[in-house]
Amino acid sequence: MPKETYDPARIEPYWRARWDEDDLYRAVDFDESRPKWYALVMFPYTSGDLHVGHWFAYTGPDVHARYRRMRGYNVLFPFGFDAFGLPAENAAIKDGGHPADYTAERMERMLAQLRTLGSAFQWDRLLATSDPEYYRWTQWIFLQLYKNGLAYKAKAPVNWCPKDQTVLANEQVIDGRCERCGTLVVKKELEQWFFRITQYAEELLSFKGLDWPEKVVTMQTNWIGRSEGMEVVFTALTKDGGEEKMPIFTTRPDTLFGVTFMVLAPEHPLVERVTRDDRRAEVDAYVEAARNASDIDRQSTEREKTGVFTGGYAVNPVNGEKVPIWVADYVLMSYGTGAIMAVPGGDERDFEFATKFGLPIREVVSPTGEASAELTQAWVGEGTLINSGRFDGLVAKGPAIAEIAAWAKAQGWGQPKVTYRLRDWLISRQRYWGAPIPIIYCPDHGAVAVPEADLPVLLPRDVDFKPTGASPLATSAEFVNTACPICGKPARRETDTMDTFVDSSWYYLRYTSPHYSDGPFDRRAVDYWMPVDQYMGGIEHAILHLLYSRFFIKALRDCGVLSFDEPFTRLRNQGMIVFGGAKMSKSRGNVRAPDEMVRTHGADAVRLYMLFIAPWSEGGSWYGEGIDGTRRFLTGVHFLATKTYPPDPVEGDSTQERGLVRLTHQTIKSCTEDIEAFKFNTYVAGLMKLRNALQDLHASETARTGAYRRAIDAMILLLAPAAPHLAEELWRATGHEYSVHQERWPDYDESLSAADEFELVVQVNGKVRDRFMLPVGTDEDRVRQTVLARPRIVGLLNGGQPRKVIYIPGKILSIVL
Ligand code: ANZ
């Protein structure tokens, strides 16, 4: 082993300072001479120190961005902080500080750590969403949505976390619990601000032109939850003898003859009017109890069905039949019309309900076309209609739906209808550490938008922000009391702040022109840089953040502020680094910091280690071992480039030399393909293979040749994205001009990279019996002769002739005896 002369502690700070000084990674606005490439990592919360999970997440993208620069792109690769929100606020509450101070201190620490990583982030574009110069424009965007009817205030039952004392968006409720603290979420009726994302439900279902992981597309599609069906109008008979329309949503109008009862959601306004007096007490008690169950629990198939009879009836439009109306919480007010027709013969939930309460079950779809003796469960499969009057015999679902829908339409009691699960985005938060909603309430003029010239509405510093359930800003008289922008009379400010997902829905636009002060962004810069070419981040943002961002772009487009449709063209998700069986995260207390490793082994070794420990898109377990191996690898590269680089190479044509040329081209090819595909671990493995080959040759004749020299040059260039400091150092040591990071990525010659041998597999009667190497281009006759002369095969043939020989060129020769 060569004596270690590689000294990262010396070279790394030196080159970093030099790059900073030269602004080496600058993204050049409006450069038309090169193609642009916007590479974006999801920005972090200011939650504390960076741990190895962050480094794992950022190192791969850094390699990818650096590689793109070397491919001749004008790369934008910015960084910032998602600085508002509960992490900072809760930490401040716990430690007795102020969220603003906490955030500032955390950012500074995280930045210092990040700088030692030697990443190519463009620090002059750094932003933090809690900066008034940023949230001024978050507020401005709110106003554009408001003026275009895309932001509105409404009373709504909201998800309320009793522990965090705040409203949560649907997306932040996981299995009925608060996403952050795990507390059971309850329902509360409150006046809240919403963004009208449902207006874009249909457009958000199209992922045309996007190169996104299938999994994310599926998750978003399911979240939006498009359902095609019909609205059918039943007639409810009210308790005072009147009639009222009772529309329901169904995806199975072909089962209309199987309706044996109806169900209203407990919150449905009709409950009041159909409930008979003698049923009132029981119904009221049920409705009250249902209020606090979460939608998720209510829909759970595990939970036993509950419900009560209202005493009222509805009339089925297909046959005039009177069916009882029940109230049950498995029907949600927020979906369809909040009322259903129950078909126990065709729907599992209705079957369970009917069985429990002794309600009739009628078979209307039969797999055989004949009535079954007894139904033991709902039939949801294919079949033909029975007990359905003149529609008997029609094939269920497709044709039967078409016929009944046409009839319903002609009769005027049914309409095709598309329903979505997606709800409008609730953005009000009764918390302190967020962007104030820029609205003023005037006794005469109602809700009035803060004039754009008065933005930002500054978040006051001296506010008691401990959660009480009321908005902390309401306790600040100075903040609340203001004048109406229209009439000047005393008025009050809105005291809710915005969900932090609002801040993160547009930060990538701000990066294009972070110092622009006439608007949220310079339109020219956005037109030049957007959309993001490559977005990289965790799968945990598959729904919320990505969906909201897509909505923002479409909404801003419709407000006339920009002119494209999608924010992120290509998306790749990294896997998670787990430690002790759980995702590494501060809230779980199982974080490991890379700082010590950087001090002892240098950033390049840690970077390489991060790339190597697990496939980037899959993640893996953290063991913290093996960094010495990557360090040794770098030491070896250092030795080869500084001690064995031939000053006056000779050109030759030995087999060894040709072999090295081939390996060099193969390595360039595989490294290129691996980086493109985010397979950073095999990219590093490829570099190691080349290093090993050079190590084996370094004392041979070949080490004096041009082929050897070019192999070292290629190795340094290929290493540059992964170990930027060492590559820079070695580029200089081998007599090249600064900077290796402005060099072109090496090209490979396909013919030179091609292997000159291949492995032939020999099968006899379907079993693999032999394998050996043959020169590429060996013709079929020669392959046969060689195989049939192999001793193993001769033995198996035992003097006989094969019945059949099949050759798959370059791969398999199959013999049948
Ligand atoms: C009658 C029927 C018969 C139904 C049958 C299904 C099968 P998706 O596909 O999820 O859209 N439904 C409608 N509104 C509801 C609500 N607010 N709460 C709970 N359930 C509701 O499901 C649509 C089906 O879910 C609708 O079709 C309705 O039941 C029920 F053999 O109507 B169906």
Side-chain angles (χ1 to χ4, degrees):
M1 201 63 232
K3 182 166 122 347
E4 174 144 351
T5 48
Y6 165 50
D7 182 7
R10 186 182 57 79
I11 65 178
E12 291 186 353
Y14 172 79
W15 286 117
R16 269 205 300 279
R18 177 87 191 262
W19 298 331
D20 280 351
E21 204 173 297
D22 298 344
D23 204 1
L24 194 70
Y25 305 117
R26 198 162 65 90
V28 186
D29 290 327
F30 319 124
D31 181 351
E32 298 295 346
S33 68
R34 301 178 282 172
K36 67 94 183 176
W37 184 264
Y38 189 170
L40 181 68
V41 290
M42 291 180 182
F43 66 166
Y45 296 119
T46 42
S47 51
D49 287 349
L50 292 178
H51 55 70
V52 292
H54 292 108
W55 281 50
F56 178 74
Y58 296 147
T59 308
D62 189 57
V63 167
H64 200 265
R66 286 172 173 279
Y67 159 78
R68 281 282 160 185
R69 287 185 82 252
M70 293 179 79
R71 290 305 295 256
Y73 287 82
N74 180 23
V75 173
L76 174 59
F77 189 46
F79 197 84
F81 291 100
D82 197 3
F84 267 143
L86 290 185
E89 190 169 323
N90 286 342
I93 289 165
K94 195 162 145 255
D95 304 339
H98 192 278
D101 301 335
Y102 175 90
T103 305
E105 183 201 310
R106 287 301 139 134
M107 284 196 305
E108 205 172 305
R109 270 167 57 183
M110 291 167 84
L111 276 176
Q113 285 182 299
L114 263 178
R115 282 177 180 271
T116 65
L117 180 65
S119 65
F121 288 126
Q122 290 138 1
W123 300 114
D124 58 332
R125 297 186 184 241
L126 187 74
L127 62 78
T129 55
S130 59
D131 181 345
E133 270 314 298
Y134 183 88
Y135 72 70
R136 168 183 183 186
W137 302 112
T138 307
Q139 293 171 335
W140 184 90
I141 289 172
F142 173 94
L143 292 178
Q144 307 314 305
L145 298 192
Y146 181 58
K147 287 170 189 164
N148 285 276
L150 293 170
Y152 65 94
K153 197 172 195 190
K155 194 160 198 152
V158 297
N159 304 303
W160 177 261
C161 172
K163 173 139 181 289
D164 287 337
Q165 296 272 328
T166 190
V167 165
L168 301 172
N170 287 338
E171 291 83 341
Q172 291 165 324
V173 182
I174 312 290
D175 295 333
R177 290 173 185 275
C178 171
E179 172 195 60
R180 297 218 150 267
C181 67
T183 307
L184 270 182
V185 167
V186 298
K187 293 272 168 191
K188 241 183 164 180
E189 283 268 327
L190 287 176
E191 283 264 342
Q192 302 287 318
W193 284 96
F194 291 87
F195 284 161
R196 220 181 279 285
I197 189 172
T198 53
Q199 191 165 311
Y200 293 88
E202 196 59 42
E203 198 189 339
L204 287 167
L205 282 170
S206 162
F207 295 85
K208 227 176 96 205
L210 300 189
D211 174 4
W212 282 29
E214 199 48 48
K215 186 173 170 194
V216 175
V217 170
T218 306
M219 284 166 83
Q220 290 210 359
T221 305
N222 291 343
W223 185 259
I224 297 166
R226 182 180 200 274
S227 204
E228 258 178 53
M230 266 188 95
E231 188 164 300
V232 177
V233 184
F234 281 64
T235 307
L237 309 174
T238 57
K239 67 168 183 213
D240 43 23
E243 286 188 354
E244 232 180 284
K245 288 200 161 110
M246 179 174 173
I248 60 96
F249 173 72
T250 179
T251 47
R252 295 294 307 276
D254 55 332
T255 63
L256 262 160
F257 287 86
V259 174
T260 55
F261 60 102
M262 308 291 288
V263 185
L264 293 172
E267 305 84 350
H268 200 290
L270 258 184
V271 173
E272 171 70 25
R273 299 196 285 282
V274 298
T275 301
R276 244 173 28 206
D277 292 342
D278 60 324
R279 306 289 310 151
R280 162 97 26 219
E282 208 182 319
V283 169
D284 282 354
Y286 184 80
V287 169
E288 183 53 36
R291 277 172 52 91
N292 282 336
S294 75
D295 283 4
I296 310 261
D297 283 343
R298 284 169 57 168
Q299 292 240 294
S300 160
T301 45
E302 257 109 80
R303 193 158 159 263
E304 201 186 332
K305 298 270 170 300
T306 61
V308 285
F309 177 42
T310 62
Y313 289 84
V315 179
N316 187 340
V318 295
N319 53 13
E321 206 168 81
K322 261 176 71 180
V323 285
I325 302 177
W326 285 62
V327 177
D329 68 0
Y330 76 94
V331 174
L332 302 181
M333 192 57 218
S334 55
Y335 190 66
T337 64
I340 65 156
M341 63 182 216
V343 184
D347 181 281
E348 279 151 2
R349 293 160 303 177
D350 299 345
F351 187 91
E352 203 190 315
F353 194 86
T355 312
K356 177 163 175 192
F357 293 104
L359 293 160
I361 297 170
R362 189 182 301 151
E363 188 179 22
V364 282
V365 177
S366 158
T368 59
E370 303 293 328
S372 311
E374 195 200 351
L375 273 188
T376 53
Q377 62 180 70
W379 178 251
V380 296
E382 312 298 321
T384 46
L385 296 202
I386 58 171
N387 296 323
S388 298
R390 64 188 179 91
F391 299 97
D392 278 357
L394 285 178
V395 175
K397 299 183 182 171
I401 289 181
E403 293 273 325
I404 294 184
W407 179 51
K409 210 169 162 195
Q411 299 253 313
W413 47 258
Q415 286 291 337
K417 184 173 163 170
V418 175
T419 302
Y420 302 89
R421 276 192 194 277
L422 185 68
R423 298 276 82 92
D424 276 342
W425 173 13
L426 196 166
I427 61 139
S428 302
R429 294 292 178 275
Q430 289 71 43
R431 292 295 292 241
Y432 167 70
W433 192 233
I437 294 175
I439 291 287
I440 291 170
Y441 299 102
C442 167
D444 294 345
H445 295 99
V448 181
V450 171
E452 285 173 20
D454 295 350
L455 298 179
V457 176
L458 282 175
L459 185 67
R461 190 180 157 98
D462 296 318
V463 170
D464 181 8
F465 51 82
K466 307 240 169 7
T468 58
S471 300
L473 291 182
T475 63
S476 167
E478 215 178 312
F479 176 82
V480 172
N481 296 320
T482 184
C484 170
I486 299 173
C487 64
K489 281 203 204 135
R492 294 173 60 82
R493 283 191 193 281
E494 168 65 61
T495 54
D496 284 356
T497 54
M498 286 186 242
D499 180 4
T500 52
F501 278 102
V502 179
D503 309 329
S504 57
S505 291
W506 75 279
Y507 75 107
Y508 48 89
L509 297 172
R510 184 72 184 165
Y511 279 144
T512 66
S513 43
H515 311 294
Y516 192 67
S517 55
D518 295 336
F521 44 78
D522 178 351
R523 177 71 184 264
R524 241 184 101 210
V526 157
D527 286 345
Y528 176 80
W529 288 112
M530 287 296 293
V532 170
D533 297 280
Q534 178 65 65
Y535 200 16
M536 298 158 281
I539 186 86
E540 65 271 23
H541 291 299
I543 299 175
L544 297 84
H545 164 61
L546 292 173
L547 195 64
Y548 292 156
S549 296
R550 296 180 64 212
F551 157 65
F552 254 49
I553 294 303
K554 295 170 197 302
L556 290 175
R557 174 201 62 199
D558 294 348
C559 294
V561 196
L562 41 78
S563 55
F564 51 97
D565 303 313
E566 288 284 348
F568 316 122
T569 304
R570 193 166 182 246
L571 173 73
R572 292 293 179 269
N573 299 117
Q574 84 264 0
M576 251 165 13
I577 290 297
V578 296
F579 184 66
K583 176 187 175 188
M584 204 177 273
S585 85
K586 182 142 189 271
S587 55
R588 288 190 181 80
N590 66 345
V591 294
R592 289 294 173 276
D595 305 49
E596 185 53 37
M597 286 178 132
V598 173
R599 265 192 295 277
T600 43
H601 294 287
D604 282 343
V606 174
R607 290 171 61 98
L608 222 55
Y609 182 63
M610 292 291 163
L611 297 172
F612 200 53
I613 47 170
W616 186 80
S617 53
E618 285 163 38
S621 287
W622 176 256
Y623 298 108
E625 281 161 19
I627 178 121
D628 331 5
T630 50
R631 168 71 179 262
R632 270 200 304 280
F633 163 68
L634 292 175
T635 305
V637 172
H638 184 268
F639 165 77
L640 291 170
T642 55
K643 301 284 188 319
T644 77
Y645 193 71
D648 304 303
V650 293
E651 296 299 331
D653 191 31
S654 69
T655 315
Q656 216 173 40
E657 243 175 288
R658 271 187 281 123
L660 181 58
V661 170
R662 187 178 332 112
L663 182 65
T664 306
H665 283 266
Q666 281 171 344
T667 308
I668 298 172
K669 180 171 196 262
S670 68
C671 287
T672 306
E673 289 169 355
D674 287 343
I675 294 179
E676 290 276 357
F678 284 80
K679 291 183 182 156
F680 304 112
N681 56 335
T682 53
Y683 150 62
V684 175
L687 286 173
M688 291 179 167
K689 195 170 156 199
L690 180 60
R691 200 261 344 200
N692 293 346
L694 289 168
Q695 180 71 31
D696 290 345
L697 292 174
H698 84 272
S700 75
E701 273 302 299
T702 302
R704 298 177 39 217
T705 64
Y708 187 86
R709 185 175 165 137
R710 285 188 293 276
I712 291 189
D713 287 345
M715 183 171 64
I716 299 170
L717 289 168
L718 295 176
L719 187 68
H725 310 86
L726 178 60
E728 191 74 284
E729 177 79 9
L730 297 181
W731 199 241
R732 182 174 66 175
T734 49
H736 295 92
E737 239 171 76
Y738 172 85
S739 154
V740 71
H741 303 297
Q742 283 165 326
E743 287 297 329
R744 287 300 287 247
W745 186 253
D747 286 320
Y748 59 89
D749 184 328
E750 191 74 56
S751 62
L752 284 177
S753 75
D756 56 0
E757 282 187 322
F758 71 96
E759 188 187 49
L760 181 76
V761 173
V762 184
Q763 288 185 342
V764 178
N765 285 347
K767 279 211 179 91
V768 175
R769 294 297 192 178
D770 199 2
R771 45 173 91 219
F772 61 98
M773 303 304 287
L774 273 175
V776 168
T778 312
D779 68 31
E780 183 165 349
D781 282 345
R782 180 109 194 93
V783 171
R784 281 178 184 239
Q785 282 169 21
T786 315
V787 169
L788 294 178
R790 303 269 299 176
R792 287 180 130 206
I793 307 298
V794 171
L796 282 168
L797 280 173
N798 203 11
Q801 278 295 316
R803 265 209 292 146
K804 212 164 147 195
V805 179
I806 304 158
Y807 179 52
I808 303 171
K811 292 203 173 85
I812 301 170
L813 189 90
S814 176
I815 301 170
V816 184
L817 294 179

